[in-house]
């Protein structure tokens, strides 16, 4: 994913944007097309990873800016709508200011769209910058889709999470990845020295080279390598299992494992394992590079309602729509792995007023003792699941020009503990 003062990406071509308008957006109005034309003329020569409107335009129009492949949908699971006015009026406090939840969502320009689904029905929704039929880049929320596809394969008995990577990717046998067990990779405890936190300012750094190969940062090399070649060149800086470290290359390796087991491109595997079973209402889109390699760690564009449908797979009463196994859900909740660094623990303690999550597992950033789970995406994307209370909250966002995002995560956690949705 892209971060502050990092990638110098430029909006590409008019043809690319208008191809997106014509073929990836449904029910486009003349007003929409005029808006896009105006925005393109404004930003066609501007670096869009600067926060604010250039980024908001890009997150909406990623299919016109990067090559994508399709995650096909099939039968649609209809979500009923029973809007709950109690949620609109629920009091929240942001920056020492008290206001209703709906007023906060409406006033924070860093929030694009929000949806809350309780017991299979939409009880709150606010579409501010895109309509319900439009896709939005999810960035690292993509990671839990890749991880859950792998979990589905485990459920089917097709993968052993304690097996080393070389079992499924023999071409990695003589690399730093070869002897690392798959569970450590999916849990972000591989010890591979390619942490996202190292930053993108150094174009010779591992994380820059990894995403340059995937085509999602500005190319600085004349002959771009494949993503697989860059992954093979990586080294380890600690033993597996010692500490949780956010490393997107773990997800990209996991995507390769999914492809190797299914013998299908990742997008097709996700379609068959997740997208169609969960009853998505529209196709998803996955960024691929010039070699057709998928951006498993951050390349998904989708409608907000389909991100919510994915979250519903983790609830007990999912009415048969591709439910994640009880065994996997219990593993996420109960198999503790408290490997956060001291600095991360301090940050979480401050953010949640002492209500610190237990661990992160299977690419989920935060998992609490009561089973609530959260996954974030760059620039303010998120999915929060509360299994005990049978609700899922999803949102799209755009960071401001200072790269600050909204307050929906701590608000979602407080909502879960409020008793409002039981």
């Amino acid at each position: 994913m892209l971060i502050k003062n990092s990638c110098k990406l430029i909006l590409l071509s008019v043809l690319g944007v208008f191809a997106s308008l014509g073929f990836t957006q449904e029910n486009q109005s003349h007003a929409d097309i005029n808006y896009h034309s105006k925005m393109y003329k404004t930003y066609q020569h501007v670096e869009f990873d600067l926060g604010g409107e250039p980024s908001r335009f890009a997150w909406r129009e990623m299919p016109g800016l990067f090559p994508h492949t399709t995650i096909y949908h099939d039968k649609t699971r209809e979500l009923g709508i029973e809007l709950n006015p109690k949620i609109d009026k629920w009091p929240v406090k942001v920056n020492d200011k008290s206001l209703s939840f709906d007023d906060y969502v409406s006033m924070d320009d860093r929030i694009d769209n929000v949806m809350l689904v309780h017991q299979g029905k939409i009880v709150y929704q606010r579409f501010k910058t895109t309509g319900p039929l439009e896709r939005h880049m999810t960035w690292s929320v993509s990671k839990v889709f890749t991880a859950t596809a792998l979990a589905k394969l485990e459920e089917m008995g097709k993968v052993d999470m304690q097996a080393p990577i070389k079992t499924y990717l023999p071409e990695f046998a003589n690399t730093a990845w070869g002897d690392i067990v798959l569970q450590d990779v999916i849990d972000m405890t591989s010890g591979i020295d390619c942490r996202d936190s190292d930053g993108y300012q150094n174009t010779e750094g591992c994380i820059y080279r990894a995403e340059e190969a995937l085509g999602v940062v500005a190319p600085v090399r004349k002959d771009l390598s494949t993503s697989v070649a860059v992954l093979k060149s990586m080294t380890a800086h600690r033993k597996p299992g010692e500490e949780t470290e956010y490393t997107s290359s773990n997800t990209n390796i996991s995507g390769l494992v999914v492809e190797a087991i299914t013998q299908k491109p990742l997008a097709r595997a996700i379609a068959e394992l997740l997208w169609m079973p969960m009853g998505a209402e529209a196709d998803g889109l996955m960024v691929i590079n010039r070699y057709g390699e998928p951006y498993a760690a951050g390349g998904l564009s989708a409608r907000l309602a389909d991100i919510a449908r994915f979250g519903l797979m983790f609830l007990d009463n999912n009415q048969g729509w591709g439910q994640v196994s009880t065994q996997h859900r219990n593993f996420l909740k109960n198999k503790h792995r408290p490997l956060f660094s001291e600095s991360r623990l301090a940050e979480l303690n401050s953010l949640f007023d002492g209500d610190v999550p237990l661990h992160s597992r299977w690419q989920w950033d935060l998992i609490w003792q009561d089973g609530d789970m959260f996954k974030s995406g760059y620039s303010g994307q998120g999915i929060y699941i509360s299994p005990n209370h049978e609700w899922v909250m999803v949102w799209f966002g755009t960071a401001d020009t200072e790269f600050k995002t909204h307050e929906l995560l701590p608000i979602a956690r407080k909502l879960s503990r409020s008793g409002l949705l039981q």
Side-chain angles (χ1 to χ4, degrees):
M1 75 183 161
L2 316 183
I3 63 173
K4 183 176 180 181
N5 295 328
S6 61
C7 315
K8 307 299 184 182
L9 292 178
I10 299 177
L11 297 182
L12 302 183
S13 68
V14 176
L15 290 177
V17 172
F18 283 96
S20 168
L21 294 178
F23 300 107
T24 65
Q25 303 285 343
E26 290 81 3
N27 299 331
Q28 287 290 331
S29 68
H30 290 297
D32 286 332
I33 293 174
N34 289 336
Y35 167 82
H36 284 284
S37 178
K38 179 181 178 182
M39 289 296 99
Y40 182 78
K41 290 175 182 177
T42 301
Y43 297 122
Q44 61 179 324
H45 300 301
V46 178
E47 297 165 4
F48 68 63
D49 189 29
L50 300 177
E53 288 306 314
S55 294
R56 180 169 287 115
F57 174 75
W59 305 165
R60 176 176 176 168
E61 297 302 334
M62 293 300 282
L65 305 176
F66 295 97
H68 279 69
T69 189
T70 303
I71 302 172
Y72 294 105
H73 78 294
D74 188 17
K75 296 179 181 179
T76 297
R77 175 187 182 174
E78 299 297 335
L79 298 178
I81 301 179
E82 290 186 4
L83 301 181
N84 185 343
K86 292 182 179 180
I87 298 173
D88 291 37
K89 298 175 183 178
W90 180 60
V92 299
K93 181 175 284 189
V94 179
N95 297 326
D96 295 324
K97 183 178 181 180
S98 297
L99 63 170
S100 72
F101 175 68
D102 189 58
D103 283 345
Y104 167 66
V105 171
S106 299
M107 64 166 273
D108 194 331
D109 291 337
R110 301 166 299 183
I111 297 172
D112 291 337
N113 305 320
V114 183
M115 178 180 289
L116 204 161
V117 180
H118 183 219
Q119 296 179 338
K121 296 180 180 179
I122 299 170
V123 294
Y124 178 87
Q125 59 182 343
R126 177 71 66 189
F127 290 89
K128 297 175 59 180
T129 65
T130 61
L133 301 184
E134 294 178 275
R135 298 175 184 86
H136 191 287
M137 190 67 164
T138 68
W139 291 112
S140 283
V141 171
S142 310
K143 287 179 169 66
V144 288
F145 283 83
T146 300
T148 305
L150 191 62
K152 281 288 185 179
L153 292 173
E154 182 188 33
E155 177 184 334
M156 297 161 65
K158 294 186 177 183
V159 63
D160 177 3
M161 297 303 296
Q162 297 306 315
I165 290 297
K166 63 186 178 184
T167 302
Y168 303 103
L169 302 175
E171 67 271 31
F172 281 81
N174 296 320
T175 72
W177 296 97
D179 292 323
I180 303 173
V181 300
L182 189 49
Q183 191 68 57
D184 278 323
V185 172
I186 207 67
D187 284 342
M188 294 284 192
T189 58
S190 66
I192 290 293
D193 192 11
C194 197
R195 294 157 293 184
D196 291 27
S197 60
D198 290 341
Y200 296 71
Q201 293 78 12
N202 177 10
T203 58
E204 295 302 315
C206 181
I207 183 59
Y208 196 98
R209 289 187 293 107
E211 303 219 334
E212 180 187 26
L214 285 163
V216 292
V217 298
V220 296
R221 291 159 184 81
K222 292 182 180 180
D223 298 320
L224 288 180
S225 175
T226 64
S227 175
V228 167
V230 173
L231 288 166
K232 287 181 177 179
S233 72
M234 292 179 185
T235 59
H237 75 114
R238 67 168 74 244
K239 293 180 180 179
E242 287 187 347
E243 187 172 304
T244 301
E245 297 174 312
Y246 202 90
T247 302
S248 288
S249 292
N250 288 316
T251 322
N252 293 322
I253 281 285
S254 301
L256 293 178
V257 172
V258 172
E259 290 187 331
I261 294 170
T262 62
Q263 291 296 293
K264 296 175 181 177
L266 182 61
R268 179 58 63 90
I270 288 176
E272 295 179 2
L273 293 167
L274 304 176
W275 211 255
M276 291 189 282
M278 76 186 192
E281 67 182 40
D283 294 343
L285 298 171
M286 176 70 73
V287 172
I288 55 174
N289 67 5
R290 64 175 63 189
Y291 302 106
E293 296 169 307
Y295 184 24
L300 174 66
S301 289
R303 292 182 183 177
L304 189 65
D306 282 337
I307 304 301
R309 286 180 173 90
F310 168 75
L312 295 176
M313 297 175 73
F314 290 83
L315 304 185
D316 281 332
N317 183 23
N318 197 35
Q319 304 171 12
W321 288 95
Q323 189 167 23
V324 173
S325 70
T326 301
Q327 181 180 0
H328 182 67
R329 288 180 286 132
N330 287 340
F331 184 97
L332 291 173
K333 178 181 177 181
N334 298 322
K335 296 296 183 179
H336 299 168
R337 196 166 196 171
L339 298 172
F340 294 124
S341 66
E342 290 186 7
S343 59
R344 179 62 169 154
L345 285 171
E347 176 187 349
L348 293 171
N349 186 66
S350 175
L351 182 62
F352 298 109
D353 297 325
D355 179 27
V356 178
L358 286 177
H359 57 216
S360 63
R361 300 218 75 165
W362 280 87
Q363 308 281 298
W364 292 94
D365 294 337
L366 305 173
I367 303 175
W368 280 266
Q369 189 168 12
D370 58 10
D372 282 15
M373 306 186 300
F374 170 71
K375 182 72 191 91
S376 68
Y378 175 63
S379 196
Q381 325 315 317
I383 176 170
Y384 187 103
I385 303 174
S386 183
N388 286 346
H389 303 312
E390 297 184 59
W391 61 262
V392 175
M393 185 171 168
V394 291
W395 54 80
F396 293 147
T398 304
D400 61 26
T401 55
E402 296 181 352
F403 297 88
K404 296 179 180 179
T405 58
H406 50 69
E407 304 295 329
L408 287 176
L409 170 56
I411 287 173
R413 181 59 185 166
K414 289 178 181 177
L415 177 62
S416 178
R417 294 166 61 85
S418 71
L420 183 63
L421 292 174
Q422 297 287 353

